[in-house]
Amino acid sequence: MFNNPLARIHLCGSPRHGSQLDLARKEAFVFVAIYSIFVFMFLGYFANRVRLLGDRQGNILLGFLLNFALPSAIFTGVYHSSVSLELLGLFALALVCNLVAGALAFVFVSKILRFDFGTSLAMAFLVSLHNTLFLGVPIVQGALGEQAAHKAIVLDQFCTGLPLAVLTPLLLSLSSKTKFRIQSVLVRLFASPLFLSMLCAFALKAMPFSIPEVLFAPILALAACATPVALFAIGVQLRFDFLRLLWRKVLVVLGFGMFVAPLLYLAILWLFQVPLQEDHQMVLLEVAMPPLISAVAVIARAGLDSKLAISCIVAGVPIAAFSTPLWLYISHL
């Protein structure tokens, strides 16, 4: 995670201006986080362009990320987070909004725009799964702090990790690559170090004793590598040549994923007159993230349009830099 230098700045003012100052501080933190995100991604893109990294080094980097750094970040995040039933309800609401936005996108592109079934399926898949870990967690930490980032890691597993495990075999089945089986979902889940690290963290939280913080030192060191390594890996995968040809489809995917889904979430909260607190804002920022990086591999495996997936990720990251302060502002209205 990022050590934000702006966290040492204290903004003082009268109660009348407290909310405006708080919003200004959060937006400043977001810009610092986004600046760091772009630096790490640029380094990865630069390394790829000048051939500092080959496929072998990239696979080693990805293996370290998925099997060590990210599980460490998830373990420490889940263990140190305070997850209430109310927060789990917000996670469920976020998941429903993502899936409804995906369903609406499928209907829109298949019935109105008349895209073929495979393209419509790929676009709905991209809308439903968001980059809540690689991109969302550092942005949440920049905007709302470390405790909110811990909760965002838990959200990622409920709103992205679990749905990915279910939707991947379903997508492969619908694209006629395999037959959908519940067994394949369970195998995918329990073979994932990310899911297992979450289960271990919840199991240890339920114990009548706490783990001494000194034992977390190596885990925290590995977790600290997760964000820069993940963003670096995103930069390595960036491709800009597809975006020019697919920009209309990209706008549809990002419109439904980054704007319709969070608007649905806000509309439900406002309908029930729920005052927006920090947890609500954290979930809002995560729901507004661009598509999941792993969706590229899944869509390619299904024989669908992986170029569209890459283009959505490329365009989604800079859009998130502008949309995140907008959602923070709206959440303070």
Side-chain angles (χ1 to χ4, degrees), residues 51-217:
R51 302 185 183 278
L52 292 176
L53 290 179
D55 291 339
R56 181 185 177 190
Q57 293 91 338
N59 290 334
I60 293 173
L61 187 67
L62 187 61
F64 169 76
L65 176 67
L66 294 176
N67 296 315
F68 296 98
L70 284 178
S72 297
I74 290 172
F75 180 82
T76 187
V78 171
Y79 185 82
H80 290 98
S81 65
S82 177
V83 181
S84 62
L85 289 177
E86 180 182 0
L87 188 59
L88 291 177
L90 288 178
F91 293 170
L93 175 60
L95 177 58
V96 168
C97 291
N98 289 340
L99 295 177
V100 169
L104 291 174
F106 180 83
V107 172
F108 178 77
V109 300
S110 62
K111 301 300 183 183
I112 297 178
L113 299 183
R114 302 289 184 179
F115 289 167
D116 62 86
F117 179 77
T119 300
S120 303
L121 196 62
M123 293 174 75
F125 187 79
L126 289 167
V127 170
S128 301
L129 296 173
H130 296 218
N131 192 346
T132 51
L133 187 61
F134 296 165
L135 192 63
V137 170
I139 285 180
V140 166
Q141 176 154 2
L144 303 174
E146 186 174 1
Q147 286 302 313
H150 288 327
K151 295 176 183 178
I153 290 174
V154 184
L155 176 144
D156 169 75
Q157 291 303 293
F158 279 94
C159 296
T160 303
L162 293 177
L164 177 64
V166 175
L167 292 178
T168 294
L170 181 61
L171 180 71
L172 295 175
S173 174
L174 291 173
S175 62
S176 301
K177 294 297 180 181
T178 61
K179 184 177 180 181
F180 179 78
R181 292 186 177 90
I182 296 296
Q183 181 182 1
S184 63
V185 175
L186 296 177
V187 169
R188 183 180 179 87
L189 277 176
F190 286 95
S192 169
L194 307 180
F195 181 71
L196 293 177
S197 64
M198 181 188 70
L199 290 184
C200 290
F202 274 123
L204 289 174
K205 279 174 69 72
M207 295 295 177
F209 57 85
S210 59
I211 301 176
E213 287 299 316
V214 66
L215 297 181
F216 277 95

Side-chain angles (χ1 to χ4, degrees), residues 1 8 28 33 60 83 90 165 229 233 248 276 278 302 320 325:
M1 303 301 175
R8 295 190 290 270
I60 293 173
V83 181
L90 288 178
V229 170
R248 292 181 180 86
L276 297 185
E278 184 176 279

Side-chain angles (χ1 to χ4, degrees), residues 215-238:
L215 297 181
F216 277 95
I219 300 175
L220 290 172
L222 281 172
C225 301
T227 295
V229 170
L231 295 172
F232 186 90
I234 293 175
V236 172
Q237 299 179 52
L238 285 182

